[in-house]
Amino acid sequence: MKSKIFAIVNQKGGTGKTTTTANLGAALAANSKKVLLVDMDPQASLSYYFGFHNEVYHVGKVLEDEEMDDRFINEISENFHILPGHIELADMELSLVNKDNRVYVLKTILEEYLKSTSYDYILIDCPPSLSLLTINSLNLADEIIVPMQLEVLSMQGLELIQKTVNNLNDSYHPSLKIKGILPIMYDTRKKITQEIIDYINENIKIPIFDSNIRSDVRLVEAPSFAKSILDYAPKSNSANDYRAFAKEIISLG
C-alpha cells in the first residue's frame, strides 16, 4: 500500500504546525498505523520536540548527498519514527538552487526509499515560508493540512497557501490539494471563531475539519519532556482532540 503523505503547512508562524505534526503522528501511531515524521524546518523544532535535533544523519544530509537509508530514521516509539531536521537545513537553500532537479530532490529520494518500507502515513513539518524547502515538501506530499488559529490575522497566511497551491498545480504538481483547515486554540466563547469559519466557508471554500484542537497548557508543556500529548497528559482535552483528529484523517482516507 502506498504511503499517504501530508504536508503540514502554514506560512504564518506560531500556528501550531509542529505541535500538530508531532501529535497527529502520535495519535495515528496509537491507531496501529506506521508513521514517519519528516522535519523540513531549519529551526528543527519537531526534532527538538522528541530529542533528535543533533543527529549526524538528518534530512539536510539527505538533500545534500541525494541518498537515503535506514541510518537516517530514528524511532520515537513502536511504529512511530522521525527523519530529523538540523540547523544545517538553513544552508541547503543555496545548494538546492544549483541542482537541476531542485524542486523535486526530496520527492526523488524519499519515493525511492519508501518503496522498501511500509509506512501508512508520512507527515512533513514545513518551514513557515515559501522556500525551496517548502516547495520540495509540497511536491512530495499528496495533500496539505493547514493548522490555523481562527483570527483575522491568520487569513493572510491562508490566502498565501491557497495561492502557492494554485501555482504548484499549474507548474509542478497538478494533483496537490488542501485536505483541510484544522482549527487550533479553538474557543467557541469567542464570537470571531464562528465568523471566521463562516467567512472561509462562504468565500475561500477550503474544507474545515470537523475536529479542532482546544487551548490546553499541557500541550505547551509536553515538548519539555520529549513526549506527545498522548503520553504526557493522556486524559487532557488536547490529547482527546488529537485522537479525534487522527480518527477523522483515517476515516477520510
Side-chain angles (χ1 to χ4, degrees):
M1 183 184 74
K2 183 180 181 296
S3 305
K4 186 74 175 181
I5 305 176
F6 290 108
I8 316 300
V9 180
N10 197 318
Q11 288 167 240
K12 182 179 184 297
T15 57
K17 184 171 53 64
T18 297
T19 299
T20 291
T21 308
N23 291 293
L24 172 59
L28 289 168
N31 277 274
S32 301
K33 303 299 181 182
K34 189 172 182 181
V35 180
L36 175 64
L37 308 182
V38 180
D39 189 355
M40 285 293 288
D41 191 338
Q43 297 179 67
S45 296
L46 182 63
S47 304
Y48 272 97
Y49 192 118
F50 290 112
F52 295 106
H53 57 281
N54 201 26
E55 303 300 309
V56 173
Y57 296 100
H58 53 81
V59 71
K61 189 171 176 60
V62 169
L63 295 172
E64 183 177 11
D65 297 342
E66 297 192 40
E67 62 178 13
M68 170 79 183
D69 56 48
D70 290 342
R71 292 174 298 172
F72 291 84
I73 302 299
N74 292 271
E75 183 178 281
I76 300 169
S77 61
E78 185 178 4
N79 286 333
F80 189 28
H81 302 156
I82 185 170
L83 168 55
H86 196 278
I87 194 171
E88 288 181 10
L89 267 174
D91 298 325
M92 279 308 303
E93 201 78 16
L94 291 175
S95 299
L96 286 172
V97 167
N98 297 320
K99 293 179 182 287
D100 292 336
N101 61 336
R102 54 186 171 270
V103 299
Y104 293 117
V105 178
L106 186 68
K107 178 181 176 68
T108 302
I109 302 164
L110 262 292
E111 284 189 343
E112 183 63 31
Y113 173 75
L114 292 171
K115 290 177 182 177
S116 60
T117 67
S118 56
Y119 287 105
D120 298 297
Y121 292 94
I122 296 170
L123 308 179
I124 310 169
D125 189 18
C126 298
S129 61
L130 181 57
S131 63
L132 270 175
L133 296 174
T134 302
I135 292 173
N136 267 266
S137 302
L138 296 177
N139 278 334
L140 173 62
D142 301 309
E143 296 180 289
I144 292 170
I145 294 171
V146 184
M148 177 179 164
Q149 294 181 36
L150 298 179
E151 56 184 33
V152 173
L153 292 178
S154 298
M155 298 303 297
Q156 183 180 10
L158 185 58
E159 290 167 0
L160 286 170
I161 293 165
Q162 192 172 41
K163 183 177 180 180
T164 298
V165 172
N166 290 339
N167 289 339
L168 287 175
N169 289 158
D170 293 339
S171 303
Y172 304 118
H173 193 343
S175 63
L176 181 67
K177 63 180 182 179
I178 299 175
K179 186 74 168 180
I181 296 166
L182 175 67
I184 298 291
M185 297 181 67
Y186 190 80
D187 189 347
T188 55
R189 296 170 299 179
K190 295 179 180 179
K191 184 180 178 182
I192 191 68
T193 296
Q194 190 58 49
E195 290 176 346
I196 294 290
I197 289 173
D198 291 341
Y199 181 86
I200 292 170
N201 287 332
E202 293 169 11
N203 298 281
I204 301 181
K205 296 180 171 57
I206 294 175
I208 300 174
F209 291 110
D210 293 334
S211 306
N212 55 72
I213 312 300
R214 288 168 284 183
S215 299
D216 191 337
V217 67
R218 284 161 290 190
L219 196 58
V220 178
E221 296 168 352
S224 300
F225 299 88
K227 290 182 177 181
S228 74
I229 190 62
L230 278 72
D231 290 327
Y232 176 67
K235 296 182 180 180
S236 63
N237 287 337
S238 48
N240 290 331
D241 293 343
Y242 275 110
R243 288 190 192 97
F245 184 43
K247 289 179 180 178
E248 184 175 359
I249 288 293
I250 293 168
S251 69
L252 291 172

